[in-house]
């Protein structure tokens, strides 16, 4: 094991994934570590480097984190880590180039490079757009995240967001009553579309009368959030889901009912109807985008 390579990192609220890409674009030595095992990101990175040995030269580092990016650092939303480009450069040595991006920004950059084997479509008749211009990545896991990718004159450009912190409105009195039982303050998207959100929802529904299950509400709210984000970004060329929570939901979901909710009945029904919806099957979708980042 030797030679030049690029460090790949996808740091989330629960786990951090490390890997390296060789000059041919192949991923090696991918590992997932619990973030709770390390007080700081630098400790986790140093641990990973120690496991690899000393015969590698990292010429670049592409790092994605679940939080906002600014001033050469990522402040993770769901744990206490702060990832700084200067710390990464110091640990790797040899003055490598370092690029920091939001985790869903990395996934969005990977969308144009996914193969058909990497995607499950919500309907057997769907397929990838032949000349995509705008696509949307949506993650539901420890938190909720979204980013779109847009084809520009010089290639693809991804735009991150903090969509998980958007306020989730109620459409009727039944839903408003449920909102009030779930939280004292106005609900955000992440309050219900996340691991903790689903667990809280299941617990509260046990105490309530009603026919709708947690899976029903999850489908309703995921369709509404995805519809809103697709409309806001005009991502008619595909909405792509990833993350542990949405992957589990996908296996048992009523796909036809979800797609009907996503399309709705508004004036943008036609473009939404032709928008393909897929689940990313690739184990490391952020790594695909990180390999293609310019640094």
């Amino acid at each position: 094991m030797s030679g030049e390579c690029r460090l790949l990192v996808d740091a989330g609220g629960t786990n951090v994934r490390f890997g390296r890409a060789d000059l041919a674009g192949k991923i090696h030595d991918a590992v997932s570590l619990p973030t709770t095992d390390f007080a700081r990101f630098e400790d986790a990175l140093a641990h990973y480097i120690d496991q690899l040995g000393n015969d590698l030269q990292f010429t670049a580092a592409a790092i994605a984190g679940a939080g906002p990016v600014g001033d050469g650092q990522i402040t993770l939303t769901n744990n206490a880590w702060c990832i700084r480009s200067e710390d990464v450069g110091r640990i790797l040595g040899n003055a490598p180039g370092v690029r920091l991006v939001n985790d869903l920004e990395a996934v969005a950059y990977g969308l144009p490079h996914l193969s058909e084997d990497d995607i499950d479509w919500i309907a057997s008749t769907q397929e990838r757009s032949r000349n995509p211009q705008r696509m949307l990545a949506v993650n539901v896991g420890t938190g909720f995240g979204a980013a779109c990718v847009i084809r520009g004159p010089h290639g693809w450009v991804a735009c991150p967001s903090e969509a998980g912190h958007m306020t989730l409105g109620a459409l009727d009195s039944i839903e408003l009553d449920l909102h009030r039982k779930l939280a004292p303050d106005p609900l955000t998207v992440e309050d219900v579309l996340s691991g903790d959100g689903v667990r809280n929802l299941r617990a509260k529904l046990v105490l309530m009368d009603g026919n709708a299950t947690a899976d029903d509400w999850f489908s309703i709210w995921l369709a509404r959030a995805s519809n809103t984000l697709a409309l806001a970004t005009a991502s008619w060329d595909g909405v792509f889901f990833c993350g542990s929570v949405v992957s589990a939901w996908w296996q048992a979901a009523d796909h036809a009912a979800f797609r009907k909710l996503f399309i709705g009945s508004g004036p943008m029904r036609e473009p939404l109807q032709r928008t393909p919806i897929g689940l990313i099957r690739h184990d490391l979708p952020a790594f695909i985008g990180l390999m293609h980042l310019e640094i």
Side-chain angles (χ1 to χ4, degrees):
M1 180 177 64
S2 62
E4 297 181 350
C5 56
R6 170 181 291 200
L7 175 70
L8 308 175
V9 183
D10 178 19
T14 303
N15 298 296
V16 57
R17 297 169 179 84
F18 292 98
R20 63 182 185 89
D22 61 24
L23 296 180
K26 293 184 178 179
I27 299 173
H28 303 274
D29 303 314
V31 300
S32 178
L33 303 172
T35 57
T36 53
D37 286 357
F38 305 91
R40 305 176 304 163
F41 170 74
E42 304 96 278
D43 300 330
L45 175 57
H47 173 81
Y48 177 69
I49 299 300
D50 287 344
Q51 300 305 305
L52 292 181
N54 299 319
D55 54 350
L56 290 174
Q57 180 183 354
F58 288 99
T59 58
I63 300 178
V69 182
D71 296 327
Q73 66 182 35
I74 308 173
T75 303
L76 270 65
T77 303
N78 290 312
N79 66 38
W81 281 7
C82 182
I83 303 172
R84 300 177 180 86
S85 56
E86 61 182 21
D87 293 331
V88 175
R90 173 177 51 80
I91 293 172
L92 297 183
N94 299 317
V98 179
R99 176 87 180 269
L100 304 180
V101 295
N102 174 265
D103 59 338
L104 262 293
E105 188 177 359
V107 174
Y109 270 118
L111 294 182
H113 306 285
L114 293 175
S115 70
E116 285 300 315
D117 291 337
D118 292 326
I119 305 168
D120 275 342
W121 298 110
I122 204 166
S124 59
T125 56
Q126 289 188 336
E127 59 183 15
R128 185 192 298 271
S129 299
R130 295 183 180 180
N131 184 31
Q133 300 297 311
R134 294 184 183 88
M135 295 179 284
L136 179 70
V138 176
N139 174 83
V140 190
T142 302
F144 181 98
C148 65
V149 63
I150 302 169
R151 188 194 293 272
H154 304 294
W156 291 96
V157 178
C159 181
S161 75
E162 289 297 335
H165 302 287
M166 299 187 306
T167 300
L168 183 73
L171 297 187
D172 56 33
S173 59
I174 295 175
E175 192 172 348
L176 181 59
D177 183 53
L178 178 56
H179 279 216
R180 288 169 173 165
K181 287 181 169 62
L182 288 172
D185 300 316
L187 283 180
T188 67
V189 171
E190 191 169 283
D191 284 336
V192 292
L193 298 179
S194 66
D196 286 343
V198 171
R199 285 186 285 272
N200 184 37
L201 177 61
R202 292 188 189 281
K204 292 297 173 64
L205 285 176
V206 169
L207 305 176
M208 297 176 60
D209 294 328
N211 296 320
T213 67
D215 288 340
D216 292 330
W217 283 114
F218 186 94
S219 293
I220 291 168
W221 289 328
L222 181 62
R224 189 181 304 166
S226 304
N227 166 282
T228 299
L229 290 166
L231 289 171
T233 58
S235 296
W236 315 133
D237 295 308
V239 174
F240 297 86
F241 294 117
C242 62
S244 58
V245 175
V246 75
S247 295
W249 164 83
W250 183 276
Q251 305 308 316
D254 184 334
H255 289 182
F258 173 82
R259 183 152 181 80
K260 184 177 180 180
L261 289 169
F262 171 81
I263 294 170
S265 58
M268 290 294 105
R269 173 181 170 81
E270 190 279 327
L272 288 168
Q273 192 165 22
R274 57 180 168 83
T275 300
I277 300 173
L279 176 73
I280 300 174
R281 296 177 57 193
H282 196 285
D283 292 335
L284 299 166
F287 278 16
I288 301 299
L290 293 173
M291 284 195 300
H292 290 88
L293 279 183
E294 291 187 8
I295 298 178

